[in-house]
Amino acid sequence: GGDTFAVIIDQAQNVGIGTASPGKQLTIGSATGGTMEFRRSEGTITDNELIGEISFTGDDPSASQVGAYIRCYADGASWSSTDFPTRLSLWTTPDGSGTPLERLRIDDSGNVGIGRAPTAQLDVYNDSGNVYAIVEASAGSAAAGLQLLGASNDESRLWFGISGGDVDAGRIVYNHSSDAMTFTAEATTPMVLDTNSSISLSNNDSG
């Protein structure tokens, strides 16, 4: 039969693994999908130790200047025979700096943090300016929306709070059991709107 090659380096110095016709500097081919593996080769892996990293570097103004990373760390506990907790993080370098900063983290619970380690399923934080979220539909007949979906016997909540202080000073809460929406400022609930379109203002029913 014909020769079988494990690794090919073509005239353009492209490297092919599992393929005889690499289209990039490194091409990995397999009938079941090409894969790469980054391994920490030690017998004991503890919390916060680096498992693997992809670095994005350049040679300006000198060799191997790092601009960004994608990193995987052990997260939350040391590894054991059936427990391998990890987190992924994305690092970029701001303008005017030579030091990459962690921008996004997915922890071992699947929580996502932007600007810091997450304290909820989605945690967006900025210690040096405003924080905004944009939901945009640019097509001519498209809508943009935000849905808060709670269980039928619980609530959907929108809270307004103070960083480092009272996290729910103001609240808009929809109770799915009673089909009523309450508007709260501090400990006072000045208005309740129920399913009958009745409005209660400070315990005075005007509906």
Side-chain angles (χ1 to χ4, degrees), residues 183-204:
F183 299 81
T184 302
E186 287 296 345
T188 303
T189 302
M191 187 172 79
V192 178
L193 174 64
D194 67 21
T195 189
N196 296 316
S197 299
S198 296
I199 299 176
S200 298
L201 299 174
S202 300
N203 297 323
N204 295 318

Side-chain angles (χ1 to χ4, degrees), residues 72-138:
C72 176
Y73 291 90
D75 191 43
S78 299
W79 283 22
S80 66
S81 60
T82 59
D83 189 23
F84 318 113
T86 54
R87 70 175 183 266
L88 283 174
S89 59
L90 191 152
W91 302 58
T92 65
T93 303
D95 189 22
S97 173
T99 303
L101 301 176
E102 185 179 15
R103 306 298 194 173
L104 183 145
R105 177 184 297 193
I106 305 173
D107 69 13
D108 67 300
S109 297
N111 296 333
V112 177
I114 300 175
R116 69 176 175 189
T119 59
Q121 286 95 332
L122 176 61
D123 188 339
V124 182
Y125 176 78
N126 187 355
D127 63 359
S128 60
N130 298 326
V131 177
Y132 292 108
I134 297 174
V135 180
E136 179 179 354
S138 61

Side-chain angles (χ1 to χ4, degrees), residues 11-78:
Q11 291 181 336
Q13 297 186 345
N14 293 331
V15 177
I17 301 174
T19 177
S21 54
K24 303 293 182 182
Q25 283 135 313
L26 174 62
T27 301
I28 301 174
S30 169
T32 57
T35 62
M36 295 182 65
E37 180 177 286
F38 297 85
R39 177 180 299 186
R40 186 181 182 93
S41 54
E42 67 168 332
T44 302
I45 297 177
T46 60
D47 185 27
N48 284 321
E49 287 190 326
L50 181 67
I51 306 300
E53 173 184 293
I54 300 175
S55 297
F56 301 86
T57 66
D59 290 343
D60 180 14
S62 59
S64 300
Q65 300 300 306
V66 179
Y69 306 112
I70 299 173
R71 289 175 167 174
C72 176
Y73 291 90
D75 191 43
S78 299

